């Protein structure tokens, strides 16, 4: 049971880091986004749990 909770917590942490990264990249000026090959993505609120 605790192993499942640890995996769920890890999945939530991964999702949080992903959302922060996407927000940071979307906040960059358009020119920089083009330079790094980033196209603005729609936020996905889906969290993939490890089971």
């Amino acid at each position: 049971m605790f192993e499942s909770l640890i995996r769920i917590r890890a999945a939530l942490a991964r999702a949080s880091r992903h959302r922060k990264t996407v927000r940071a990249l979307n906040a960059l000026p358009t020119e920089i986004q083009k330079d790094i090959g980033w196209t603005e993505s729609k936020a996905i609120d889906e969290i993939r749990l490890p089971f």
Side-chain angles (χ1 to χ4, degrees):
M1 180 175 142
F2 290 114
E3 187 175 317
S4 294
L5 292 175
I6 291 170
R7 291 190 325 209
I8 291 170
R9 174 63 185 121
L12 292 173
R14 238 184 346 267
S16 177
R17 284 192 311 270
H18 176 73
R19 283 191 306 271
K20 287 179 185 178
T21 301
V22 169
R23 273 198 313 263
L25 289 171
N26 286 340
L28 291 172
T30 307
E31 298 81 25
I32 294 176
Q33 288 181 9
K34 287 179 184 177
D35 287 345
I36 63 174
W38 179 257
T39 57
E40 188 169 334
S41 64
K42 298 174 184 168
I44 299 174
D45 291 334
E46 177 182 308
I47 297 174
R48 296 184 180 194
L49 297 176
F51 48 79

